[in-house]
Amino acid sequence: MTIKIAAFGALNPDSYDEFASCLAREMAKLGLGYDLASAAPYPNAEAVSAPGRPLRAEALQDPAKKQQLLAAVAADAAAVGAASADICVMPCMSMIGFHDDVEKTLGKNILGLAAALAQKYAGIEKLGVIHMRPARQRIVEIFDGKATVPDEAQAAALLSAEDAAKAAKSPAPVEAVMQTITESWQRAGLEHILFARADAPKARHSAAGSVARVKILSHFDILAEAAAKQAALLQA
């Protein structure tokens, strides 16, 4: 049996690529066959607002635009075969606040990223999470207060790095700040850190992800592991 997996709702091609790489690793561990179909970036490759495809920030401020976002992501999912897929995933932390409503709009279960994250760190007393601004409150909820998040100075540095990354068309500025934060948290005694940013989806493979004496995972790692476990159950 070949497991069909549909991925959608991610903000850039690199997010899909990183999830695909992590999924390949996890499925290989279990010796499972699968077919992954990934949607185009949301809202588009240019990451700019478009008619019927608003940015996340717009959707958070305007109920009508939120409905447009939900419909657009559901349509993207349908276009890559979500209706017949065995497993549906949204490999994007920045869209995690829309997950439940996309699921309702699509009319099909989506493997829960929030649940996968909570389960992965269930036995960990504290961790650090480097996230994007729209996901801050969701992070607090998922980890029930045990997650350290960037303080005001670190958040400001990340914001400046976001602008620099857009200008340079490279995630390097964001990755550099992520490294600084990771090193600071490591010195403060944190042993587990989650990278959860869409603008630097491959940061775990950069210098930021190579800080000694700390275990670093990305949300792609965790979602891929959850998808592989679900696939194994389906084949059992």
Side-chain angles (χ1 to χ4, degrees), residues 9-16 18-19 56 91-96 113 117 128-136 139 149-151 153-166 170-182 185 193-206 208 216-222:
L11 303 184
N12 54 62
D14 281 350
S15 289
Y16 288 122
E18 182 63 9
F19 174 71
R56 294 159 299 153
C92 184
M93 277 297 301
S94 295
M95 293 286 270
I96 198 167
L113 175 54
L117 294 172
V129 183
I130 303 180
H131 59 83
M132 297 186 79
R133 286 168 291 160
R136 184 183 182 90
I139 292 296
V149 298
D151 59 26
Q154 292 166 337
L158 283 168
L159 182 59
S160 295
E162 287 178 26
D163 293 335
K166 290 175 184 175
S170 166
V174 173
E175 291 174 350
V177 176
M178 292 176 71
Q179 180 180 357
T180 298
I181 294 172
T182 299
W185 286 350
I193 294 178
L194 172 66
F195 284 179
R197 293 188 64 89
D199 56 355
K202 299 183 180 182
R204 192 172 62 82
H205 310 295
S206 71
I216 298 169
L217 293 173
S218 73
H219 60 287
F220 303 107
D221 290 310
I222 295 169

Side-chain angles (χ1 to χ4, degrees), residues 134-148:
R136 184 183 182 90
Q137 182 57 38
R138 197 73 176 95
I139 292 296
V140 173
E141 295 169 357
I142 290 169
F143 296 113
D144 196 23
K146 70 179 182 180
T148 295

